[in-house]
Amino acid sequence: MAGGVIAWITGKRSSLFSRYISLAALFIDFIIVVFIYFRNGINLDKTWLIEYNTNWIPRFGINLHLAMDGLSLLLLLLTFFIGIIAVLISWKEIQTNTGFFHFNILWILSGITGVFLSMDLFLFYFFWEVMLIPMYFLIGIWGHENRIYASYKFFIFTQASGLLMFLAILGLYLVHGNNTGTYTFDYQQLLVTPMGSAMEMLLMCGFLAAFLVKLPVVPFHSWLPDAHSEAPTAGSLILASLMLKTGAYGLLRFVVPIFPNAAASFAPVGMALGVIGILYGAKLAFSQTDLKRLVAYTSVNHMGFIVLGVFAFNELAYQGVVMQIIVHGISTGALFIIAGQLYERMHTRDLNKMGGLWEHIPVMGGIGLIFVMASLGLPGLGNFIAEFLTLSGVFKSSILFACLASVGLVAGTIYSLRIMQKVFYGRQNSEHKMKDLSIRESIALGSMVIVIIYLGIFPQAVIRTAKPSIMKILNIKEQSFDSKTRKVDYELFNSVIEKEVSKAEK
Amino acid sequence: MTRLDFLCLTPLMIVASAPIIIMLTITLSRNYKVVYGFSLFMFLAAFLSLFIVLPNTPYRIAPLFIFDNFSILLLGAIYCASFIITVLSYIYLNHQGGEREEYFIILFVATLGASVLVTANHFISFFLGLETLSISLYVLVAYLKNRNYCIEAGVKFLVIASVATAFLLFGMGLIYASTGTMDFKEIGVSLTSSGLTPLLVAGFGMMLVGIGFKLALVPFHMWTPDVYQGAPAPVTGFIATISKGAVLAIAIRFFFDVHGYQYTALVIIITIISVLSMFTGNLLALKQTNLKRLLAYSSIAHLGYLLITLLTGTSYGIQAAVFYLVSYMITTLGAFGVISILSICERDAEDLEDLKGLFWKNPWIAIVMSLTVLSLAGIPLTAGFIAKFYLVLAGLKSGLWVLAISLILNTVISLYYYLRVIKTMFTVSEKDYKLNISFTGNLVLVIIVIGILFLGILPSFLTEIISGFSTIN
């Protein structure tokens, strides 16, 4: 399927109809994923819903191994949904070199898709890097005033951390090869790599470097506001909604199951970093005057919850994390779209030059209100479920961090309301005559509103889909937590999971 | 000499006969196109004749030459590169007036030197090959005599390379004096019995200076940027790919034959040189605005990376070196190919400014250039990525963590200036390009692009071929 995406892209590069073609391509992908979802709706507890495995570079034991489970299924749904929206909202914003622009968008999306699907660490790294270059172009060519600086910073930060992960992947490969005799990059085999605890810690740090920078966690976050605020709207949207999520996905899929012991000993630090991210992100968001930078810092805040949840190691928290991944993608994405549309109309991102816009553009204001409420975690919208689940999960493992994080929620309320105050309410600062949302923009934002409300009221769909994958991750962790040898039979797990899931179903 | 000896020497003889034939035809009448066509034909013939040699490997023509898989593959790479450089030179020299036929004669002689180097396993053939290569390069570098930079670069190259040769020769002398043999394998044998005496250390040190000069390793790198900048673009391409590749090949063979990686003193020296080359090359490249100088510094760094393979001492290391060399050759040829094609008659398109806005004017050339630059930076989907992966893996397998980490760090540093090249091409500029690229020029670029992507996406083709290179025999 990812191959299909790439094929489409190469075909469409120079075409003038690139908008329609990329829209169609993403739409087809979306339909395929929805189809997979419904076909497997009944038995989600299989190991992989779909699997594709073939030799790529046998010399090094590298396989082209793609597989999909509940977690990646959800993330793919998100990817293609956001992809469609990204194409829709850049319809008017991008007027130069539309062909190349859409080429980049689709490449990024296929890179992200690959990351969510690959079950071979080499392949994973491959896709991880593939999404960087087009993003660099996206920011560097179609961005705002300070784009060159932002694109450099983005690229060098993520590439440097990615290379550390690469080193760790190679380390893992060699450790596995030395200890078991088979040299392979296959995820399932590397899961049961026996290794010493110092080695485990070292290798995990390599992985963490990449994921924490990508997420980003506070000391490594400085690329994010620059990249977000300078990127074109579609770029910010994809960065915030999808690219950050690859970091979260990596934590869940790789760090916790492959390095369970090291992850457990890292947990207090990880949770502390999460809490710092929540509080610090909220504080910085509050003091921004640039609308896009403000929204960017809210991402730092929200990603704090994800880190916090990941290192809480229990099901509730993980459900919260998955939920957060999805709803943050939608709500923050929507805020970026609104910022982009305001920029299109007013040519400024400065909050002080806005104000009193409700009179001119009530529909956008209303939608803005919904997403601001979502981002501060109002019950009834998806973010509430996510934060609630995460916090209650964290509460089980660490009361202190849960309390601190709850303080972050309050801070979140403050900065969120500040957006509404500054942009839509208050005294009218400008004499702009503005059009309200066009039909195209309404469709994009409207569908996001529907999704976020739906998730707020019926979160069960997500929870049920993600459950088997989460149980699997946790099981692996617990099993190896007890035994030091870590030689675990993977098949045995699945039977255990199956039993548990069927119990839970009842 | 037996029949088989002749058979194995066919490729070398083809390359050696070409300059004589061209010389004879020139005395009758000058025709640029005919000479060009004939050169292409001869390189092709030399390449194809490798397939005659292939079934007989490994074959040794005592005492000077050895034909094993390692040398055959590198010979293949060299002939392919020469073929491409011939095409580029034709396009490049087309703008220049005057007598251009002799250029191809010297090109053949230089290629012959490189071929001898790749197949040599004896000090005599080593030295002969190196000198044949170097002396013809002096001429090639200064070939465009009406350009100031060219002459300067030629003289500089001549002086420094002669000094390097002197060092090399002295080193060989010292080693011969204490081991009594000039054969690589036998030197290795006598080393294991005698150990590393001070005289031998001095000998190896001297040789290292010589080889370091030729490969432009730090601290012997000073000539590189000037020569790269001054020489005509295709010649720079030749120095960067064939000349350095061949010298590195013989260095690898020599080092592995004498088991150099077992002696701590040598390992430490090479480690230091390697790390220094990586950092110096990349840091000096950061601020360059001249594309050819930038590529010169980047090549210093790349040779630094390649030194890692010397220290691995495993078959993995050799394979990694071959893979890296091949992909580096393709990539560098791509970069210099673009420069040659963009060059106009008075000067080369060597400033970054010359590339400004290229993407909007001529997307195809810009994409080729971006691909080569990304491959040099080691970004996935390109050959450079797999090559770097192979290299790091080989290094880690032998426990060379310091070198591997320094490679990774340097990759990050290098990203900055590689991205700058790409950024320049994507900046909008008002400049007008009037380019009409000939069909052959486009064809060469297409081949290079296919090569880079092919090795990047389906590397198993090459990895399977080289996986048999367990030892150099």
Side-chain angles (χ1 to χ4, degrees), chain A residues 56-57 59 97 107 125-126 129 133 136 141 148 152 155 159 166 170 174, chain B residues 319 360 380-381 385 389 392 396-397 415 419-420 426 457 459-460 467:
Chain A
W56 185 25
I57 315 174
R59 179 85 187 81
N97 286 74
W107 267 87
Y125 179 75
F126 191 83
E129 294 282 293
I133 293 278
Y136 167 78
I141 297 179
I148 301 293
Y152 269 102
F155 195 83
Q159 175 76 11
F166 184 52
L170 289 183
L174 291 175
Chain B
Q319 294 159 21
W360 312 115
L381 285 179
F385 170 66
F389 161 73
V392 174
L396 289 185
K397 269 207 162 167
L415 274 177
L419 284 183
R420 218 156 40 107
F426 283 80
I457 297 169
S460 40
S467 62

mmCIF file of all heavy atoms in Angstrom, chain A residues 56-57 59 97 107 125-126 129 133 136 141 148 152 155 159 166 170 174, chain B residues 319 360 380-381 385 389 392 396-397 415 419-420 426 457 459-460 467:
data_model
loop_
_atom_site.group_PDB
_atom_site.id
_atom_site.type_symbol
_atom_site.label_atom_id
_atom_site.label_comp_id
_atom_site.label_asym_id
_atom_site.label_seq_id
_atom_site.Cartn_x
_atom_site.Cartn_y
_atom_site.Cartn_z
ATOM 1 N N TRP A 56 14.747 -7.982 1.167
ATOM 2 C CA TRP A 56 15.177 -6.752 0.507
ATOM 3 C C TRP A 56 16.691 -6.790 0.300
ATOM 4 O O TRP A 56 17.180 -6.824 -0.810
ATOM 5 C CB TRP A 56 14.747 -5.537 1.323
ATOM 6 C CG TRP A 56 15.041 -4.243 0.662
ATOM 7 C CD1 TRP A 56 15.186 -4.028 -0.679
ATOM 8 C CD2 TRP A 56 15.225 -2.983 1.289
ATOM 9 N NE1 TRP A 56 15.441 -2.710 -0.916
ATOM 10 C CE2 TRP A 56 15.480 -2.044 0.264
ATOM 11 C CE3 TRP A 56 15.200 -2.541 2.615
ATOM 12 C CZ2 TRP A 56 15.702 -0.711 0.537
ATOM 13 C CZ3 TRP A 56 15.421 -1.210 2.876
ATOM 14 C CH2 TRP A 56 15.669 -0.311 1.841
ATOM 15 N N ILE A 57 17.420 -6.787 1.390
ATOM 16 C CA ILE A 57 18.871 -6.910 1.270
ATOM 17 C C ILE A 57 19.284 -8.094 2.126
ATOM 18 O O ILE A 57 19.631 -7.944 3.295
ATOM 19 C CB ILE A 57 19.587 -5.645 1.762
ATOM 20 C CG1 ILE A 57 18.901 -4.404 1.228
ATOM 21 C CG2 ILE A 57 21.053 -5.654 1.348
ATOM 22 C CD1 ILE A 57 19.437 -3.127 1.776
ATOM 23 N N ARG A 59 21.775 -9.806 2.364
ATOM 24 C CA ARG A 59 23.140 -9.763 2.877
ATOM 25 C C ARG A 59 23.186 -9.355 4.346
ATOM 26 O O ARG A 59 23.985 -9.827 5.119
ATOM 27 C CB ARG A 59 23.928 -8.777 2.019
ATOM 28 C CG ARG A 59 25.359 -8.575 2.388
ATOM 29 C CD ARG A 59 26.216 -9.632 1.739
ATOM 30 N NE ARG A 59 27.580 -9.538 2.231
ATOM 31 C CZ ARG A 59 27.980 -10.041 3.384
ATOM 32 N NH1 ARG A 59 27.113 -10.671 4.142
ATOM 33 N NH2 ARG A 59 29.224 -9.941 3.762
ATOM 34 N N ASN A 97 4.485 26.504 -8.062
ATOM 35 C CA ASN A 97 4.964 25.130 -8.135
ATOM 36 C C ASN A 97 4.095 24.127 -7.386
ATOM 37 O O ASN A 97 4.576 23.388 -6.535
ATOM 38 C CB ASN A 97 6.371 25.040 -7.584
ATOM 39 C CG ASN A 97 7.345 25.621 -8.542
ATOM 40 O OD1 ASN A 97 7.399 26.837 -8.660
ATOM 41 N ND2 ASN A 97 8.052 24.804 -9.270
ATOM 42 N N TRP A 107 5.066 12.599 -0.466
ATOM 43 C CA TRP A 107 6.253 11.881 0.005
ATOM 44 C C TRP A 107 6.313 11.858 1.514
ATOM 45 O O TRP A 107 6.665 10.851 2.107
ATOM 46 C CB TRP A 107 7.523 12.530 -0.551
ATOM 47 C CG TRP A 107 7.946 11.904 -1.803
ATOM 48 C CD1 TRP A 107 7.533 12.242 -3.044
ATOM 49 C CD2 TRP A 107 8.827 10.804 -1.966
ATOM 50 N NE1 TRP A 107 8.113 11.426 -3.970
ATOM 51 C CE2 TRP A 107 8.915 10.541 -3.340
ATOM 52 C CE3 TRP A 107 9.564 10.016 -1.080
ATOM 53 C CZ2 TRP A 107 9.701 9.516 -3.854
ATOM 54 C CZ3 TRP A 107 10.345 9.005 -1.594
ATOM 55 C CH2 TRP A 107 10.405 8.758 -2.963
ATOM 56 N N TYR A 125 13.953 2.981 9.924
ATOM 57 C CA TYR A 125 14.851 4.117 9.852
ATOM 58 C C TYR A 125 14.799 4.757 8.471
ATOM 59 O O TYR A 125 14.828 5.976 8.315
ATOM 60 C CB TYR A 125 16.276 3.693 10.171
ATOM 61 C CG TYR A 125 17.246 4.838 10.076
ATOM 62 C CD1 TYR A 125 17.282 5.804 11.064
ATOM 63 C CD2 TYR A 125 18.072 4.985 8.978
ATOM 64 C CE1 TYR A 125 18.129 6.884 10.969
ATOM 65 C CE2 TYR A 125 18.924 6.068 8.871
ATOM 66 C CZ TYR A 125 18.946 7.002 9.868
ATOM 67 O OH TYR A 125 19.772 8.076 9.759
ATOM 68 N N PHE A 126 14.736 3.902 7.488
ATOM 69 C CA PHE A 126 14.644 4.346 6.100
ATOM 70 C C PHE A 126 13.478 5.311 5.917
ATOM 71 O O PHE A 126 13.626 6.427 5.445
ATOM 72 C CB PHE A 126 14.455 3.082 5.256
ATOM 73 C CG PHE A 126 14.586 3.280 3.796
ATOM 74 C CD1 PHE A 126 15.834 3.295 3.206
ATOM 75 C CD2 PHE A 126 13.468 3.418 3.006
ATOM 76 C CE1 PHE A 126 15.955 3.454 1.851
ATOM 77 C CE2 PHE A 126 13.589 3.578 1.649
ATOM 78 C CZ PHE A 126 14.834 3.594 1.062
ATOM 79 N N GLU A 129 13.735 8.662 7.723
ATOM 80 C CA GLU A 129 14.532 9.672 7.044
ATOM 81 C C GLU A 129 13.828 10.186 5.801
ATOM 82 O O GLU A 129 13.971 11.351 5.450
ATOM 83 C CB GLU A 129 15.878 9.075 6.640
ATOM 84 C CG GLU A 129 16.729 8.717 7.811
ATOM 85 C CD GLU A 129 17.383 9.928 8.421
ATOM 86 O OE1 GLU A 129 18.234 10.520 7.767
ATOM 87 O OE2 GLU A 129 17.014 10.287 9.548
ATOM 88 N N ILE A 133 13.363 14.978 4.166
ATOM 89 C CA ILE A 133 13.785 15.829 3.059
ATOM 90 C C ILE A 133 12.610 16.619 2.471
ATOM 91 O O ILE A 133 12.694 17.836 2.340
ATOM 92 C CB ILE A 133 14.458 14.973 1.967
ATOM 93 C CG1 ILE A 133 15.753 14.406 2.501
ATOM 94 C CG2 ILE A 133 14.704 15.796 0.722
ATOM 95 C CD1 ILE A 133 16.893 15.362 2.439
ATOM 96 N N TYR A 136 11.709 19.348 4.664
ATOM 97 C CA TYR A 136 12.684 20.427 4.561
ATOM 98 C C TYR A 136 12.335 21.348 3.390
ATOM 99 O O TYR A 136 12.334 22.564 3.503
ATOM 100 C CB TYR A 136 14.077 19.816 4.392
ATOM 101 C CG TYR A 136 15.144 20.782 3.962
ATOM 102 C CD1 TYR A 136 15.714 21.653 4.880
ATOM 103 C CD2 TYR A 136 15.555 20.831 2.640
ATOM 104 C CE1 TYR A 136 16.681 22.541 4.482
ATOM 105 C CE2 TYR A 136 16.524 21.717 2.241
ATOM 106 C CZ TYR A 136 17.090 22.574 3.158
ATOM 107 O OH TYR A 136 18.047 23.460 2.757
ATOM 108 N N ILE A 141 10.790 26.191 1.007
ATOM 109 C CA ILE A 141 10.339 26.845 -0.225
ATOM 110 C C ILE A 141 9.058 27.637 -0.019
ATOM 111 O O ILE A 141 8.936 28.763 -0.460
ATOM 112 C CB ILE A 141 10.145 25.802 -1.342
ATOM 113 C CG1 ILE A 141 11.482 25.138 -1.659
ATOM 114 C CG2 ILE A 141 9.597 26.470 -2.593
ATOM 115 C CD1 ILE A 141 11.396 24.078 -2.715
ATOM 116 N N ILE A 148 14.319 29.857 5.873
ATOM 117 C CA ILE A 148 15.561 29.131 5.651
ATOM 118 C C ILE A 148 16.144 28.677 6.991
ATOM 119 O O ILE A 148 16.508 27.518 7.184
ATOM 120 C CB ILE A 148 16.580 30.030 4.920
ATOM 121 C CG1 ILE A 148 16.004 30.477 3.587
ATOM 122 C CG2 ILE A 148 17.893 29.308 4.740
ATOM 123 C CD1 ILE A 148 15.822 29.380 2.592
ATOM 124 N N TYR A 152 16.590 24.733 8.203
ATOM 125 C CA TYR A 152 17.869 24.174 8.627
ATOM 126 C C TYR A 152 17.775 23.564 10.016
ATOM 127 O O TYR A 152 18.240 22.472 10.285
ATOM 128 C CB TYR A 152 18.923 25.281 8.714
ATOM 129 C CG TYR A 152 19.701 25.482 7.456
ATOM 130 C CD1 TYR A 152 19.410 26.521 6.609
ATOM 131 C CD2 TYR A 152 20.725 24.627 7.131
ATOM 132 C CE1 TYR A 152 20.120 26.717 5.447
ATOM 133 C CE2 TYR A 152 21.437 24.811 5.972
ATOM 134 C CZ TYR A 152 21.127 25.856 5.138
ATOM 135 O OH TYR A 152 21.827 26.025 3.994
ATOM 136 N N PHE A 155 15.853 20.406 10.123
ATOM 137 C CA PHE A 155 16.505 19.268 9.503
ATOM 138 C C PHE A 155 17.674 18.774 10.342
ATOM 139 O O PHE A 155 17.832 17.575 10.576
ATOM 140 C CB PHE A 155 16.990 19.650 8.108
ATOM 141 C CG PHE A 155 17.337 18.466 7.282
ATOM 142 C CD1 PHE A 155 16.345 17.790 6.611
ATOM 143 C CD2 PHE A 155 18.626 17.996 7.196
ATOM 144 C CE1 PHE A 155 16.640 16.675 5.861
ATOM 145 C CE2 PHE A 155 18.927 16.883 6.451
ATOM 146 C CZ PHE A 155 17.931 16.227 5.784
ATOM 147 N N GLN A 159 17.725 15.170 12.013
ATOM 148 C CA GLN A 159 18.674 14.255 11.391
ATOM 149 C C GLN A 159 19.720 13.791 12.404
ATOM 150 O O GLN A 159 20.062 12.616 12.466
ATOM 151 C CB GLN A 159 19.338 14.949 10.204
ATOM 152 C CG GLN A 159 20.420 14.155 9.542
ATOM 153 C CD GLN A 159 19.858 13.058 8.685
ATOM 154 O OE1 GLN A 159 18.665 13.024 8.443
ATOM 155 N NE2 GLN A 159 20.696 12.141 8.240
ATOM 156 N N PHE A 166 20.066 5.518 14.548
ATOM 157 C CA PHE A 166 20.644 4.611 13.566
ATOM 158 C C PHE A 166 21.792 3.811 14.194
ATOM 159 O O PHE A 166 21.886 2.596 14.047
ATOM 160 C CB PHE A 166 21.139 5.446 12.396
ATOM 161 C CG PHE A 166 21.674 4.642 11.254
ATOM 162 C CD1 PHE A 166 20.928 3.618 10.709
ATOM 163 C CD2 PHE A 166 22.904 4.918 10.715
ATOM 164 C CE1 PHE A 166 21.405 2.887 9.649
ATOM 165 C CE2 PHE A 166 23.398 4.189 9.662
ATOM 166 C CZ PHE A 166 22.648 3.166 9.128
ATOM 167 N N LEU A 170 21.979 -0.205 14.781
ATOM 168 C CA LEU A 170 23.095 -1.069 14.392
ATOM 169 C C LEU A 170 23.659 -1.795 15.602
ATOM 170 O O LEU A 170 24.005 -2.977 15.527
ATOM 171 C CB LEU A 170 24.192 -0.231 13.737
ATOM 172 C CG LEU A 170 23.858 0.305 12.358
ATOM 173 C CD1 LEU A 170 25.031 1.049 11.784
ATOM 174 C CD2 LEU A 170 23.484 -0.828 11.443
ATOM 175 N N LEU A 174 23.909 -5.818 16.074
ATOM 176 C CA LEU A 174 25.136 -6.558 16.352
ATOM 177 C C LEU A 174 25.025 -7.354 17.643
ATOM 178 O O LEU A 174 25.470 -8.494 17.723
ATOM 179 C CB LEU A 174 26.318 -5.598 16.421
ATOM 180 C CG LEU A 174 26.687 -4.979 15.084
ATOM 181 C CD1 LEU A 174 27.783 -3.956 15.252
ATOM 182 C CD2 LEU A 174 27.138 -6.062 14.123
ATOM 183 N N GLN B 319 34.515 -5.293 1.847
ATOM 184 C CA GLN B 319 33.259 -5.131 1.102
ATOM 185 C C GLN B 319 32.713 -3.734 1.263
ATOM 186 O O GLN B 319 32.255 -3.103 0.305
ATOM 187 C CB GLN B 319 32.230 -6.142 1.593
ATOM 188 C CG GLN B 319 32.620 -7.563 1.287
ATOM 189 C CD GLN B 319 31.901 -8.545 2.175
ATOM 190 O OE1 GLN B 319 30.863 -8.221 2.740
ATOM 191 N NE2 GLN B 319 32.448 -9.729 2.297
ATOM 192 N N TRP B 360 14.258 26.315 -10.703
ATOM 193 C CA TRP B 360 13.112 26.904 -11.397
ATOM 194 C C TRP B 360 13.371 27.044 -12.880
ATOM 195 O O TRP B 360 12.447 27.158 -13.674
ATOM 196 C CB TRP B 360 12.748 28.253 -10.793
ATOM 197 C CG TRP B 360 12.676 28.174 -9.301
ATOM 198 C CD1 TRP B 360 13.480 28.802 -8.411
ATOM 199 C CD2 TRP B 360 11.751 27.400 -8.519
ATOM 200 N NE1 TRP B 360 13.131 28.476 -7.138
ATOM 201 C CE2 TRP B 360 12.073 27.622 -7.167
ATOM 202 C CE3 TRP B 360 10.691 26.550 -8.822
ATOM 203 C CZ2 TRP B 360 11.375 27.018 -6.122
ATOM 204 C CZ3 TRP B 360 9.998 25.946 -7.784
ATOM 205 C CH2 TRP B 360 10.343 26.183 -6.466
ATOM 206 N N PRO B 380 18.726 8.400 2.912
ATOM 207 C CA PRO B 380 18.129 7.200 2.346
ATOM 208 C C PRO B 380 17.542 7.411 0.949
ATOM 209 O O PRO B 380 17.209 8.536 0.595
ATOM 210 C CB PRO B 380 17.010 6.863 3.316
ATOM 211 C CG PRO B 380 17.441 7.419 4.585
ATOM 212 C CD PRO B 380 18.262 8.627 4.274
ATOM 213 N N LEU B 381 17.417 6.309 0.256
ATOM 214 C CA LEU B 381 16.995 6.214 -1.143
ATOM 215 C C LEU B 381 18.164 6.459 -2.082
ATOM 216 O O LEU B 381 18.053 6.252 -3.268
ATOM 217 C CB LEU B 381 15.877 7.196 -1.510
ATOM 218 C CG LEU B 381 14.474 6.884 -1.017
ATOM 219 C CD1 LEU B 381 13.523 7.979 -1.450
ATOM 220 C CD2 LEU B 381 14.007 5.555 -1.570
ATOM 221 N N PHE B 385 23.626 6.454 1.263
ATOM 222 C CA PHE B 385 23.087 5.978 2.543
ATOM 223 C C PHE B 385 23.503 4.541 2.818
ATOM 224 O O PHE B 385 24.019 4.209 3.882
ATOM 225 C CB PHE B 385 21.567 6.104 2.536
ATOM 226 C CG PHE B 385 20.909 5.422 3.690
ATOM 227 C CD1 PHE B 385 21.104 5.884 4.977
ATOM 228 C CD2 PHE B 385 20.107 4.320 3.496
ATOM 229 C CE1 PHE B 385 20.501 5.258 6.056
ATOM 230 C CE2 PHE B 385 19.504 3.691 4.563
ATOM 231 C CZ PHE B 385 19.708 4.159 5.844
ATOM 232 N N PHE B 389 25.919 3.114 5.687
ATOM 233 C CA PHE B 389 25.411 2.053 6.552
ATOM 234 C C PHE B 389 26.383 0.882 6.593
ATOM 235 O O PHE B 389 26.739 0.378 7.666
ATOM 236 C CB PHE B 389 24.039 1.628 6.029
ATOM 237 C CG PHE B 389 23.582 0.289 6.489
ATOM 238 C CD1 PHE B 389 23.160 0.114 7.793
ATOM 239 C CD2 PHE B 389 23.576 -0.783 5.622
ATOM 240 C CE1 PHE B 389 22.742 -1.125 8.222
ATOM 241 C CE2 PHE B 389 23.166 -2.020 6.045
ATOM 242 C CZ PHE B 389 22.746 -2.189 7.349
ATOM 243 N N VAL B 392 29.544 1.910 8.547
ATOM 244 C CA VAL B 392 29.360 1.973 10.002
ATOM 245 C C VAL B 392 29.229 0.566 10.559
ATOM 246 O O VAL B 392 29.814 0.225 11.594
ATOM 247 C CB VAL B 392 28.105 2.802 10.350
ATOM 248 C CG1 VAL B 392 27.837 2.755 11.835
ATOM 249 C CG2 VAL B 392 28.303 4.234 9.918
ATOM 250 N N LEU B 396 31.574 -1.024 13.327
ATOM 251 C CA LEU B 396 31.056 -1.474 14.619
ATOM 252 C C LEU B 396 31.362 -2.940 14.845
ATOM 253 O O LEU B 396 31.631 -3.372 15.964
ATOM 254 C CB LEU B 396 29.552 -1.240 14.697
ATOM 255 C CG LEU B 396 29.104 0.208 14.805
ATOM 256 C CD1 LEU B 396 27.607 0.293 15.007
ATOM 257 C CD2 LEU B 396 29.797 0.905 15.956
ATOM 258 N N LYS B 397 31.318 -3.715 13.758
ATOM 259 C CA LYS B 397 31.594 -5.140 13.911
ATOM 260 C C LYS B 397 33.005 -5.377 14.418
ATOM 261 O O LYS B 397 33.264 -6.349 15.112
ATOM 262 C CB LYS B 397 31.407 -5.850 12.564
ATOM 263 C CG LYS B 397 30.008 -6.373 12.383
ATOM 264 C CD LYS B 397 29.974 -7.565 11.465
ATOM 265 C CE LYS B 397 28.669 -8.281 11.675
ATOM 266 N NZ LYS B 397 28.385 -9.254 10.650
ATOM 267 N N LEU B 415 25.814 17.879 6.824
ATOM 268 C CA LEU B 415 24.475 18.200 6.332
ATOM 269 C C LEU B 415 24.331 19.681 6.068
ATOM 270 O O LEU B 415 23.676 20.094 5.118
ATOM 271 C CB LEU B 415 23.441 17.806 7.388
ATOM 272 C CG LEU B 415 22.992 16.384 7.348
ATOM 273 C CD1 LEU B 415 22.039 16.141 8.481
ATOM 274 C CD2 LEU B 415 22.301 16.129 6.037
ATOM 275 N N LEU B 419 23.114 20.877 2.507
ATOM 276 C CA LEU B 419 21.792 21.506 2.387
ATOM 277 C C LEU B 419 21.914 22.887 1.757
ATOM 278 O O LEU B 419 21.016 23.327 1.045
ATOM 279 C CB LEU B 419 21.145 21.637 3.764
ATOM 280 C CG LEU B 419 20.563 20.375 4.357
ATOM 281 C CD1 LEU B 419 19.903 20.677 5.676
ATOM 282 C CD2 LEU B 419 19.532 19.780 3.408
ATOM 283 N N ARG B 420 23.052 23.558 2.025
ATOM 284 C CA ARG B 420 23.219 24.887 1.463
ATOM 285 C C ARG B 420 23.250 24.824 -0.067
ATOM 286 O O ARG B 420 22.685 25.685 -0.740
ATOM 287 C CB ARG B 420 24.505 25.523 1.982
ATOM 288 C CG ARG B 420 24.369 26.992 2.250
ATOM 289 C CD ARG B 420 25.396 27.430 3.250
ATOM 290 N NE ARG B 420 26.657 26.782 2.990
ATOM 291 C CZ ARG B 420 27.714 27.403 2.461
ATOM 292 N NH1 ARG B 420 27.663 28.655 2.180
ATOM 293 N NH2 ARG B 420 28.826 26.745 2.259
ATOM 294 N N PHE B 426 17.296 26.116 -4.974
ATOM 295 C CA PHE B 426 15.869 26.338 -4.865
ATOM 296 C C PHE B 426 15.513 27.802 -4.608
ATOM 297 O O PHE B 426 14.358 28.143 -4.545
ATOM 298 C CB PHE B 426 15.271 25.457 -3.769
ATOM 299 C CG PHE B 426 15.112 24.042 -4.196
ATOM 300 C CD1 PHE B 426 16.187 23.183 -4.194
ATOM 301 C CD2 PHE B 426 13.890 23.577 -4.641
ATOM 302 C CE1 PHE B 426 16.051 21.880 -4.604
ATOM 303 C CE2 PHE B 426 13.752 22.277 -5.060
ATOM 304 C CZ PHE B 426 14.830 21.427 -5.044
ATOM 305 N N ILE B 457 18.185 1.831 -3.584
ATOM 306 C CA ILE B 457 16.931 1.124 -3.330
ATOM 307 C C ILE B 457 17.133 -0.391 -3.391
ATOM 308 O O ILE B 457 16.574 -1.125 -2.583
ATOM 309 C CB ILE B 457 15.850 1.583 -4.329
ATOM 310 C CG1 ILE B 457 15.573 3.072 -4.110
ATOM 311 C CG2 ILE B 457 14.574 0.800 -4.152
ATOM 312 C CD1 ILE B 457 14.741 3.706 -5.170
ATOM 313 N N PRO B 459 20.211 -2.339 -3.166
ATOM 314 C CA PRO B 459 21.656 -2.547 -3.046
ATOM 315 C C PRO B 459 22.044 -4.014 -3.113
ATOM 316 O O PRO B 459 23.217 -4.331 -3.285
ATOM 317 C CB PRO B 459 21.971 -1.953 -1.680
ATOM 318 C CG PRO B 459 20.707 -2.058 -0.929
ATOM 319 C CD PRO B 459 19.609 -1.924 -1.918
ATOM 320 N N SER B 460 21.059 -4.918 -2.994
ATOM 321 C CA SER B 460 21.441 -6.331 -2.903
ATOM 322 C C SER B 460 22.152 -6.794 -4.161
ATOM 323 O O SER B 460 22.928 -7.740 -4.117
ATOM 324 C CB SER B 460 20.219 -7.192 -2.636
ATOM 325 O OG SER B 460 19.133 -6.749 -3.379
ATOM 326 N N SER B 467 29.870 -9.934 -1.837
ATOM 327 C CA SER B 467 29.866 -10.705 -0.598
ATOM 328 C C SER B 467 30.916 -11.811 -0.625
ATOM 329 O O SER B 467 31.274 -12.362 0.404
ATOM 330 C CB SER B 467 28.483 -11.293 -0.354
ATOM 331 O OG SER B 467 28.155 -12.174 -1.394
#
